Amino acid sequence: MRAPIHSSNRSPRLALLATSLGFVIICLDVTVVNVALARMRDGLQIDSTALEWVGNAYTLAFASLLLTAGALADRLGARRVFVGGFAVFTCASIGCALSDGAGMLVASRAVQGVGAALCVPSSMALLGAAFPDADARAKAVSIWAGTAALALGAGPLVGGLLVDRFGWPSIFLINVPIGVAGIWLTLAHAPETLRHAARRIDLAGQTLAVVTLAALTYAVVESGRLGWTSTIVLSGLTISVVMAALFITVEARSAQPLLPLALFRSAAVSVSALTGWSLNFGYYGLMFAMSLFFQSVRHDTPLETGLAFLPMTAVVTVANLVSGRLTARFGYRLPMLYGQALAALGYLALVFVHADSSALAIALPLLAVGSGVALAVPSINTAVLMHVGPSRVGIASGVLNSARQIGGVVGVGVFGSLVRPESNDMVAGLHIAVALAFATTLLSLVVARTRLEQRQSAIAKCAG
């Protein structure tokens, strides 16, 4: 184990900026692509299934490799892994911009996902090293998550402007200068973390995880074209279930598992993972579906679509800052629960949206969803940092973010299967999709409240 490298010339604030830039472009590429889908479809002559893979190839690689990336951050040092991931992501962005067909674009998006997976767990570990004080760390995490939430919300507007002015490749080229700046800031100001040389990479677990998620994603994406009763779709789901069972068995017996199942004994970790899954299921799926709704049903331009998401963007940063202050003062439970409740109300209101609904009738539910998600996300990150030791921060962050990205993969797949431009009634499909998002968010809220109350009761009994 090597000691962390310290330097009086390093600025924690600039280290926060570096990690935030990494998270910004990772999250920006989740939503910025949505407003370019129609232009990609026309320019590259691809169908709706291929469009879903443009989104899900990225998220699938991201989700599949997060746990291994967390272990690498613990083993090799967070700064080294973060810089490597940033470089991979930036180069893959150039590949996306130069794509002349669906194959190259989907492959480049998958490589982007690899870079993103390397960045996220290591960025949280870098924050922990740069801000050892608990209160300062909570505020830093709030800012870090806030910039990411802002990127998620701003993605449609930024994408709309770029696509309208410069064409769809520009949404990827914008990552290049940000990537160069982020790498320089990281090398100059981010502290290196402790390296745990004994940490091993679980290749068997990683392989099973990739096969499980790939089979699940394939089945969900293809369900829109083939139907849920298709032999191919049912086979994909079956393979996913079998591989998931094998994965859990292997992890339970492994000395150094990819996914330490003991982490889930902590109510804070298990609740944060479930909350992260449900938040991304609804949010990622909604952004994908609403972008198609605006452009295919209401016939908006990419810029008009971006402007339609603007109210959501306007409150994201404020909600994250409020979440950080609430978390620092009252703990993570309050913003976690209230954020989910607000998002659930937003999904419920969208059930009543139609093609001729007013801009306000659409904006208010989107505002509620964006605010709720932005309120809850910092709290789940803080919960993990508070309840996991320094040697496990990387892998615990990987667990949390894997849950979030898996939720996003399933969300885009499910929403995409229900809201297809080829469908005769996209609006009906949208209503079913947002009703599912409401149900999953409400269920997550109930489970989180129950588990956290049980934890508080147990602590009170021990103290008594």
Side-chain angles (χ1 to χ4, degrees):
M1 179 187 299
R2 297 184 183 181
I5 302 170
H6 297 282
S7 172
S8 58
N9 295 324
R10 287 184 178 146
S11 166
R13 291 184 178 181
L14 290 179
L16 172 59
L17 176 60
T19 57
S20 296
L21 284 176
F23 211 8
V24 160
I25 63 172
I26 287 167
C27 294
L28 189 67
D29 267 42
V30 172
T31 57
V32 75
V33 170
N34 290 327
V35 296
L37 291 174
R39 295 289 177 87
M40 288 178 183
R41 179 189 62 204
D42 297 336
L44 300 177
Q45 297 183 342
I46 56 181
D47 60 17
S48 296
T49 300
L51 285 180
E52 288 184 56
W53 279 111
V54 170
N56 271 339
Y58 173 77
T59 315
L60 175 61
F62 191 2
S64 299
L65 299 174
L66 270 169
L67 293 174
T68 291
L72 282 173
D74 289 338
R75 178 179 171 80
L76 302 178
R79 189 175 67 166
R80 180 180 298 181
V81 173
F82 182 78
V83 169
F86 223 153
V88 169
F89 188 94
T90 303
C91 292
S93 297
I94 298 174
C96 290
L98 297 177
S99 298
D100 58 359
M104 182 176 177
L105 180 57
V106 170
S108 297
R109 288 284 286 164
V111 177
Q112 272 191 317
V114 174
L118 292 171
C119 283
V120 172
S122 52
S123 67
M124 276 192 71
L126 287 177
L127 285 180
F131 297 91
D133 177 74
D135 289 341
R137 184 169 60 245
K139 292 177 181 178
V141 170
S142 176
I143 294 171
W144 173 78
T147 57
L150 180 60
L152 282 172
L157 179 58
V158 172
L161 287 169
L162 290 173
V163 171
D164 261 9
R165 301 292 182 184
F166 307 107
W168 67 262
S170 61
I171 64 175
F172 299 110
L173 292 176
I174 195 176
N175 295 335
V176 178
I178 298 175
V180 172
I183 290 171
W184 179 81
L185 284 170
T186 303
L187 292 173
H189 295 285
E192 185 56 280
T193 58
L194 291 172
R195 300 179 192 175
H196 303 277
R199 184 63 51 82
R200 295 287 181 262
I201 305 301
D202 180 7
L203 293 178
Q206 178 62 83
T207 301
L208 289 170
V210 170
V211 174
T212 298
L213 294 179
L216 175 62
T217 304
Y218 181 82
V220 172
V221 170
E222 293 296 326
S223 66
R225 182 172 63 91
L226 302 175
W228 288 101
T229 58
S230 163
T231 301
I232 293 176
V233 172
L234 292 175
S235 297
L237 293 174
T238 301
I239 292 171
S240 178
V241 171
V242 172
M243 292 298 105
L246 285 174
F247 173 76
I248 293 173
T249 301
V250 168
E251 297 307 282
R253 296 177 179 178
S254 175
Q256 293 194 24
L258 177 69
L259 176 61
L261 300 179
L263 282 174
F264 292 101
R265 295 173 187 167
S266 166
V269 173
S270 59
V271 164
S272 293
L274 175 61
T275 300
W277 186 95
S278 68
L279 290 174
N280 277 33
F281 172 84
Y283 192 87
Y284 282 27
L286 181 67
M287 296 295 285
F288 182 89
M290 289 301 295
S291 294
L292 292 177
F293 170 79
F294 285 130
Q295 295 182 67
S296 298
V297 175
R298 294 171 68 93
H299 305 293
D300 293 340
T301 66
L303 179 57
E304 289 170 339
T305 298
L307 290 172
F309 285 110
L310 186 59
M312 179 189 294
T313 307
V315 298
V316 163
T317 302
V318 175
N320 269 271
L321 292 175
V322 169
S323 177
R325 292 183 180 182
L326 288 174
T327 300
R329 185 171 181 181
F330 301 107
Y332 55 80
R333 181 175 178 272
L334 184 67
M336 185 187 294
L337 298 181
Y338 279 87
Q340 290 184 86
L342 185 57
L345 289 175
Y347 293 127
L348 182 61
L350 285 169
V351 172
F352 304 100
V353 165
H354 294 278
D356 57 352
S357 295
S358 68
L360 184 61
I362 297 174
L364 289 178
L366 292 179
L367 190 65
V369 172
S371 300
V373 171
L375 192 63
V377 167
S379 67
I380 61 177
N381 286 288
T382 300
V384 169
L385 287 175
M386 286 179 61
H387 294 275
V388 176
S391 67
R392 291 281 186 172
V393 167
I395 192 65
S397 173
V399 169
L400 172 58
N401 285 287
S402 288
R404 292 185 62 192
Q405 297 310 315
I406 292 169
V409 168
V410 177
V412 171
V414 170
F415 276 59
S417 69
L418 293 168
V419 185
R420 297 174 63 85
E422 299 90 345
S423 170
N424 293 326
D425 195 350
M426 286 183 64
V427 176
L430 177 64
H431 290 165
I432 296 172
V434 294
L436 286 173
F438 167 74
T440 56
T441 305
L442 186 63
L443 178 62
S444 173
L445 171 62
V446 171
V447 172
R449 185 174 183 272
T450 302
R451 286 294 311 276
L452 293 178
E453 283 186 351
Q454 289 173 345
R455 177 180 176 275
Q456 286 184 329
S457 298
I459 294 173
K461 289 180 180 179
C462 291

